[in-house]
Amino acid sequence: VSAGQEIARLDSAALDANAAVAKASLAGAKAQVGVLDDAIDTVGSNRATIASERKKVNDAAAQLATTRKQLAAQLADLKALLAKIEAMGAGGRPPIPPGGVPTGTAPPVAPPGALPDPAQVRAGIVKLTAALAKIDAGLAKVASGRAKLSSATAKLSDARVQLRDLRGLALAGVDGAAVGVNAAEYQRSLAILRSPSDGYVVSVVTVGDVLAPGATIADIRRSGPARVTTWLAPDRLRDVRFGTKVEVSADWFPARTGGIGRSGASSGAGASGSSAIPGRVTSISTRAEYPPTSFATSEIHLTRAIRVEITTSPTAEQPALPPGTPVDVRFLGK
């Protein structure tokens, strides 16, 4: 298998359900934001309507105030005229001048400058007084209406502020729901098992197995460079440095033709006629230690040694070394 290749799938029915629930929660949170947006738009529209109606009311009130002023002036004029007529006496009619038409033969025609009938003046005063009373009542209602409009505008402003606050909370809910969706989808993605590296699958569970948490699904033997650990006596380090070329071989390697190349120190019994894997020294310990009892060495009295690690470069003939495999190591020098 190669790195990232799918090697197994776990039953993800419960994980799929969790992801579906998380997505439904996210959709509900987004819908709530949309509802609040519509409510905010409605409040804004109502505020605009109230502002338009208030302008109409103010214009009408201004017109009524102008009309009242004119009627009040007319009423004052009529009252002054009535007072003048009453002051003249004789019902307010001036005497007929010489040569005029006798009373009863034809309707008298008042000459220019004559005063009107007092009854008509009184009737006009009554009408103007009633009209002014109605205008005053109407202006009082207009004032009350404007107060109500102002109160409604204030309430709409408060409602708009509250709706905006709720919208902010709803957006926070959307963010939280989105995190829940991401978490659910991540958990679902864990049901797909992929190879962490290039290598060979040496064991895998069977379909239908029920596993405990943390159980091994598959064993993969890595391909590519392998790390070989060997131990050298301190006096052997004079021929080994960081980067020293090495050949790693074993009697179970495929046979090869020709010699192994330039000879050098070996940690084992020496190379045979099999193929070898090239490598280099990549780590040298800074202190002598007791080598493990499983380490095979040609030096019988090797009680303390220096740990040396080698990184191999696999070839087409021998692509990889299985973990724990005993091998022979030959140091070739730089």
Side-chain angles (χ1 to χ4, degrees):
V1 294
S2 57
Q5 180 178 342
E6 180 179 336
I7 57 176
R9 281 178 178 261
L10 302 179
D11 183 6
S12 61
L15 298 176
D16 292 340
N18 290 338
V21 170
K23 289 181 179 179
S25 298
L26 177 59
K30 289 183 178 179
Q32 184 66 24
V33 174
V35 170
L36 292 173
D37 286 338
D38 292 340
I40 291 173
D41 292 340
T42 300
V43 170
S45 176
N46 290 338
R47 289 181 64 187
T49 302
I50 290 176
S52 176
E53 295 301 322
R54 178 188 291 177
K55 184 177 184 304
K56 292 180 182 179
V57 170
N58 290 336
D59 293 342
Q63 184 63 37
L64 284 175
T66 301
T67 302
R68 187 188 186 288
K69 183 178 180 181
Q70 294 173 350
L71 293 179
Q74 293 176 9
L75 179 61
D77 292 342
L78 286 179
K79 288 182 177 180
L81 179 60
L82 180 61
K84 182 178 179 181
I85 293 173
E86 290 176 348
M88 293 177 64
R93 292 181 179 272
I96 300 175
V101 179
T103 303
T105 58
V109 178
L115 297 177
D117 186 355
Q120 294 179 351
V121 175
R122 291 190 182 93
I125 290 174
V126 171
K127 290 181 179 180
L128 286 177
T129 302
L132 286 174
K134 289 182 179 180
I135 290 176
D136 290 339
L139 288 175
K141 290 181 179 180
V142 168
S144 176
R146 282 193 293 188
K148 291 180 179 179
L149 288 176
S150 299
S151 176
T153 301
K155 290 180 179 179
L156 286 176
S157 298
D158 293 340
R160 188 179 179 88
V161 171
Q162 294 176 6
L163 287 172
R164 287 188 175 277
D165 292 341
L166 290 174
R167 185 180 185 276
L169 296 176
L171 288 176
V174 169
D175 294 338
V179 172
V181 170
N182 293 335
E185 291 182 342
Y186 172 73
Q187 291 292 335
R188 184 171 58 180
S189 70
L190 296 180
I192 301 176
L193 305 180
R194 303 181 183 277
S195 175
S197 63
D198 297 343
Y200 304 93
V201 177
V202 295
S203 68
V204 67
V205 297
T206 58
V207 176
D209 285 350
V210 179
L211 306 175
T216 299
I217 301 295
D219 290 319
I220 299 176
R221 189 179 71 192
R222 291 177 179 269
S223 60
R227 188 176 62 185
V228 177
T229 302
T230 187
W231 300 80
L232 295 178
D235 60 339
R236 301 281 297 276
L237 289 178
R238 61 177 179 270
D239 299 324
V240 178
R241 299 288 186 275
F242 183 84
T244 296
K245 293 181 180 180
V246 177
E247 284 186 340
V248 178
S249 61
D251 53 5
W252 50 270
F253 281 12
R256 67 180 181 85
T257 59
I260 196 171
R262 202 157 47 116
S263 62
S266 172
S267 63
S272 65
S274 61
S275 61
I277 301 176
R280 287 184 178 272
V281 174
T282 54
S283 177
I284 301 175
S285 178
T286 58
R287 57 178 295 175
E289 305 173 64
Y290 290 105
T293 56
S294 60
F295 177 70
T297 175
S298 58
E299 300 182 40
I300 299 175
H301 301 291
L302 182 61
T303 57
R304 291 198 179 228
I306 305 297
R307 186 177 70 254
V308 177
E309 292 184 355
I310 300 161
T311 301
T312 64
S313 300
T315 63
E317 295 179 350
Q318 186 57 247
L321 290 173
T325 303
V327 294
D328 293 328
V329 177
R330 184 182 292 271
F331 294 89
L332 303 179
K334 294 184 179 180

